[in-house]
């Protein structure tokens, strides 16, 4: 087969996939802008309407019921702010995604925001590139620099283009289209197997565990994080968050879990709940490590009580090591079976 012919067919398909992604993204951007516009109009054009909080709460409840995830009060506030920041809907650029606009909304200077928007379009910046330029004050440095060409050269670095796999994993797009993300998108086969086993182990262990979520997504300023497992312990009356790391445990892993604990403490605790507990498991097969993360200002009484109902470090270590051995045995058997064939 002629290679040029194949490349032509391949480029047609890649262009079509890219168009689908861009169309879905901009349809979402336009919808969110119009939702923000409608919210402001319902508030009589008053940016600080007193009944705004109640309105957003009721709207969030109804939209979540009808359309699923993606319409929390926080996200509705972003849509409202989106309209206020970009009041001219005709000026929105279809090359930019909702995540691009979430980043641009954080830029307070109007001139700087316009600069970043135009440069993002012209240079095809990914959201990561845009975030880097904003966080390093590229606009301000460019204005104050005597060697503007040298500073401007910084933005010429590019990143790999999005693949179709990246597109279908985008949580914003999935939510907007009413699709559910597949857990397998976010974890390796090994991690999935360990998480599945751990989930079953805790439920079989009892001690008040009730399963809540797997690969629970939380979002801060357009960045997505996934908590491997979330349980609710009805004896301790608290959420139990579990993250599993394949490899060495780092201080960043512990800091991230602390962030998860604080998020649940401030956003998702119900009345009467005790503060959540975080567990970070380092599943390196040579040396497993377990770290518990308790909320700040926790009382010793509760800290002692949780030890009675949560699995001990030794129990968790034994289960991880047992599952590692089972996975390695299974892998060995498959390898041997393939050899025989």
């Amino acid at each position: 087969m002629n290679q040029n012919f194949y490349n032509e067919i391949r480029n047609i398909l890649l262009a079509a996939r890219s168009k689908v992604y861009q169309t879905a993204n901009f349809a979402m951007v336009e919808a969110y802008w119009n939702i923000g516009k409608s919210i402001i109009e319902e508030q009589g054009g008053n940016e600080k309407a007193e009944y705004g909080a109640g309105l957003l709460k009721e709207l969030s409840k109804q939209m979540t019921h009808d359309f699923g995830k993606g319409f929390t009060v926080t996200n509705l506030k972003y849509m409202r702010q989106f309209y206020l920041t970009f009041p001219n809907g005709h000026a929105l650029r279809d090359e930019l995604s909702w995540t691009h606009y979430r980043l641009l909304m954080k830029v307070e200077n109007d001139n700087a925001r316009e600069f970043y928007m135009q440069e993002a379009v012209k240079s095809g910046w990914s959201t990561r590139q845009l975030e880097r330029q904003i966080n390093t004050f590229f606009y301000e440095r460019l204005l104050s620099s005597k060697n503007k060409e040298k500073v401007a050269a910084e933005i010429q670095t590019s990143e790999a283009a999005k693949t179709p796999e990246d597109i279908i994993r985008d949580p914003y797009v999935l939510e907007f289209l009413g699709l559910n993300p597949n857990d397998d998108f976010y974890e390796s086969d090994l991690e999935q197997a360990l998480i599945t086993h751990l989930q079953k182990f805790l439920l079989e262990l009892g001690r008040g565990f009730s399963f809540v979520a797997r690969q629970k997504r939380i979002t801060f300023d357009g960045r997505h994080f996934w908590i491997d497992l979330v349980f609710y312990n009805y004896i301790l009356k608290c959420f139990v968050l579990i993250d599993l790391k394949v490899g060495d445990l780092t201080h960043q892993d512990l800091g991230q879990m602390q962030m998860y604990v604080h998020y649940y403490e401030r956003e998702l605790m119900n009345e009467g709940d005790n503060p959540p507990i975080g567990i970070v498991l380092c599943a390196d097969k040579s040396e497993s490590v377990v770290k518990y993360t308790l909320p700040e200002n926790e009382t010793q009484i509760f800290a002692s009580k949780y030890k009675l109902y949560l699995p001990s470090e030794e129990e968790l270590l034994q289960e991880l090591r047992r599952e590692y051995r089972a996975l390695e045995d299974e892998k060995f058997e498959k390898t041997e079976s393939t050899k025989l064939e």
Side-chain angles (χ1 to χ4, degrees):
M1 182 175 61
N2 185 291
Q3 187 62 39
N4 290 335
F5 169 72
Y6 173 74
N7 289 338
E8 180 181 350
I9 299 300
R10 180 175 180 272
N11 289 335
I12 290 173
L13 183 57
L14 291 176
R17 287 181 169 180
S18 178
K19 186 176 181 180
V20 168
Y21 173 66
Q22 185 172 320
T23 300
N25 253 311
F26 193 60
M28 178 169 57
V29 167
E30 285 187 311
Y32 290 171
W33 185 88
N34 281 302
I35 290 172
K37 180 175 182 289
S38 297
I39 291 172
I40 289 295
E41 290 176 346
E42 179 65 18
Q43 295 175 334
N46 185 349
E47 297 182 16
K48 298 181 179 180
E50 291 187 6
Y51 92 112
L55 172 68
L56 293 181
K57 186 176 181 180
E58 288 301 314
L59 182 61
S60 172
K61 182 179 179 181
Q62 187 62 53
M63 292 188 73
T64 300
H65 177 269
D66 291 342
F67 300 103
K69 294 180 180 180
F71 298 100
T72 62
V73 171
T74 299
N75 285 343
L76 291 175
K77 286 180 180 178
Y78 275 120
M79 296 174 201
R80 182 177 179 275
Q81 186 59 41
F82 183 36
Y83 171 74
L84 293 173
T85 306
F86 298 93
N88 182 7
H90 297 295
L92 298 176
R93 303 296 299 266
D94 61 1
E95 299 93 338
L96 302 181
S97 68
W98 174 236
T99 306
H100 282 99
Y101 282 109
R102 287 276 298 264
L103 292 168
L104 289 169
M105 279 190 281
K106 295 193 295 183
V107 181
E108 297 181 1
N109 184 293
D110 293 342
N111 292 329
R113 188 189 313 114
E114 179 67 19
F115 168 81
Y116 287 125
M117 184 169 71
Q118 297 304 328
E119 284 294 333
V121 172
K122 183 175 70 175
S123 302
W125 285 349
S126 66
T127 54
R128 185 178 300 177
Q129 287 173 304
L130 174 60
E131 184 176 30
R132 182 171 66 245
Q133 307 306 346
I134 292 173
N135 290 342
T136 57
F137 302 99
F138 177 77
Y139 174 74
E140 289 79 4
R141 289 188 294 114
L142 185 62
L143 287 182
S144 61
S145 175
K146 294 181 180 179
N147 190 345
K148 289 182 170 48
E149 291 184 359
K150 181 178 180 181
V151 177
E154 293 179 16
I155 66 173
Q156 299 308 315
T157 58
S158 60
E159 295 180 358
K162 276 185 174 290
T163 66
E165 288 73 20
D166 293 326
I167 293 168
I168 61 175
R169 296 178 193 182
D170 188 319
Y172 285 135
V173 175
L174 289 169
E175 284 180 351
F176 181 70
L177 297 177
L179 303 175
N180 292 319
N182 187 322
D183 292 344
D184 294 338
F185 285 155
Y186 308 116
E187 298 290 342
S188 68
D189 292 340
L190 175 60
E191 286 174 299
Q192 278 299 307
L194 291 171
I195 290 170
T196 297
H197 181 80
L198 188 63
Q199 177 181 336
K200 292 178 180 178
F201 163 68
L202 288 172
L203 292 176
E204 291 173 358
L205 186 67
R207 301 184 190 173
F209 280 98
S210 176
F211 176 72
V212 175
R214 176 171 173 154
Q215 297 298 339
K216 170 68 175 177
R217 179 171 67 84
I218 59 177
T219 301
F220 303 119
D221 297 328
R223 296 181 62 193
H224 306 292
F225 303 89
W226 284 266
I227 307 173
D228 287 334
L229 291 168
V230 179
F231 295 88
Y232 187 83
N233 190 293
Y234 57 83
I235 299 176
L236 295 174
K237 293 185 178 180
C238 71
F239 286 103
V240 179
L241 318 177
I242 298 177
D243 238 11
L244 185 142
K245 305 296 178 182
V246 177
D248 294 333
L249 188 68
T250 67
H251 68 278
Q252 289 94 337
D253 296 328
L254 297 176
Q256 184 165 287
M257 176 53 75
Q258 192 70 56
M259 178 183 71
Y260 295 160
V261 167
H262 289 328
Y263 178 85
Y264 263 77
E265 193 171 5
R266 297 166 188 173
E267 302 292 337
L268 297 177
M269 276 178 56
N270 299 308
E271 186 175 351
D273 280 355
N274 285 309
I277 294 166
I279 303 175
V280 181
L281 304 178
C282 169
D284 185 280
K285 55 188 173 184
S286 60
E287 183 181 2
S288 298
V289 178
V290 180
K291 293 291 183 181
Y292 287 88
T293 304
L294 289 173
E296 294 179 351
N297 304 319
E298 190 48 72
T299 63
Q300 184 60 39
I301 294 176
F302 186 70
S304 299
K305 184 179 179 182
Y306 90 85
K307 293 180 181 179
L308 299 176
Y309 297 101
L310 294 182
S312 67
E313 291 190 16
E314 187 56 36
E315 286 175 314
L316 288 171
L317 294 177
Q318 287 177 358
E319 285 303 313
L320 284 176
R321 289 167 181 161
R322 185 179 296 118
E323 184 61 11
Y324 253 123
R325 288 194 296 269
L327 290 171
E328 288 181 343
D329 290 344
E330 182 180 349
K331 183 179 179 181
F332 176 77
E333 289 175 3
K334 287 181 179 179
T335 301
E336 292 300 307
S337 177
T338 302
K339 289 179 180 178
L340 293 174
E341 293 175 358

